[in-house]
Amino acid sequence: MPKPSPRVLDLIGTLVRVGLAAVWLVSGWLKISDAGQTFIAVKAYELLPDGLVGPVATMLPLLELVLGVMLLAGFGTRLAGIGSIVLLLLLIAVIAQSWARGLTIDCGCFGGGGQVAAGQTQYPQEIARDTGFLLLAVWLTLRPSTLFSVDGWLGWNSKAVPDDSFDETASSERT
């Protein structure tokens, strides 16, 4: 089976980057536009002291928006990928512990959140969804080279592409 060209891999990376950017931008926007509900969602996990619930409920959507903007622009793609991995692993762990502890909450991942009726939780689906997003972040961390990116315009892609078929011609085409 022939190996995909660097250009095809860059196109795939671009789709992955823009898709993950959309996830963070939508998630962050929905949380920040309803700060009271985000506070309720964070508190529902019963993990933080009351004094930390507010700061976390404020910082989480801001972090998601920053990651989304970085990915949309293709600026610091590898760094945004690493940040996404860390945040997604944390979110998956928090959802899993809620499930293990028998809490009946909506994760609040895309707005909303808080207590729900027994049987209304969707922990397996939420973990599976976030695992899919995690795979996108891993792709961008391992291969941050994408089209239409600030990284490419700055020439950062040519140093970051771990690809055996990389050559100078492909580098000049990407930027």
Side-chain angles (χ1 to χ4, degrees), residues 47 60 84-97:
L47 288 173
L60 179 60
S84 295
I85 288 170
V86 170
L87 184 54
L88 286 161
L89 286 173
L90 180 64
L91 294 172
I92 290 167
V94 167
I95 293 167
Q97 70 79 33

Side-chain angles (χ1 to χ4, degrees), residues 94-119:
V94 167
I95 293 167
Q97 70 79 33
S98 297
W99 189 11
R101 291 173 52 211
L103 299 178
T104 55
I105 62 173
D106 176 316
C107 75
C109 298
F110 290 93
Q115 298 294 325
V116 295

Side-chain angles (χ1 to χ4, degrees), residues 1-9 12 139 143 161-166:
M1 182 169 168
K3 188 174 184 178
S5 72
R7 189 76 170 172
V8 168
L9 293 174
I12 293 168
W139 173 285
R143 193 175 193 293
V161 179
D163 189 6
D164 295 284
S165 61
F166 177 76

Side-chain angles (χ1 to χ4, degrees), residues 4 49 54 73 79 85 95 98 129 142 145 148 157 173:
L79 180 62
I85 288 170
I95 293 167
S98 297
R129 179 201 58 221
L142 296 176
S145 180
F148 315 112
N157 283 348
E173 289 175 7

Side-chain angles (χ1 to χ4, degrees), residues 100-147:
R101 291 173 52 211
L103 299 178
T104 55
I105 62 173
D106 176 316
C107 75
C109 298
F110 290 93
Q115 298 294 325
V116 295
Q120 296 296 312
T121 60
Q122 297 182 350
Y123 297 129
Q125 298 92 323
E126 292 164 351
I127 291 170
R129 179 201 58 221
D130 286 354
T131 300
F133 297 153
L134 178 64
L135 293 174
L136 299 179
V138 167
W139 173 285
L140 292 173
T141 300
L142 296 176
R143 193 175 193 293
S145 180
T146 61
L147 304 173

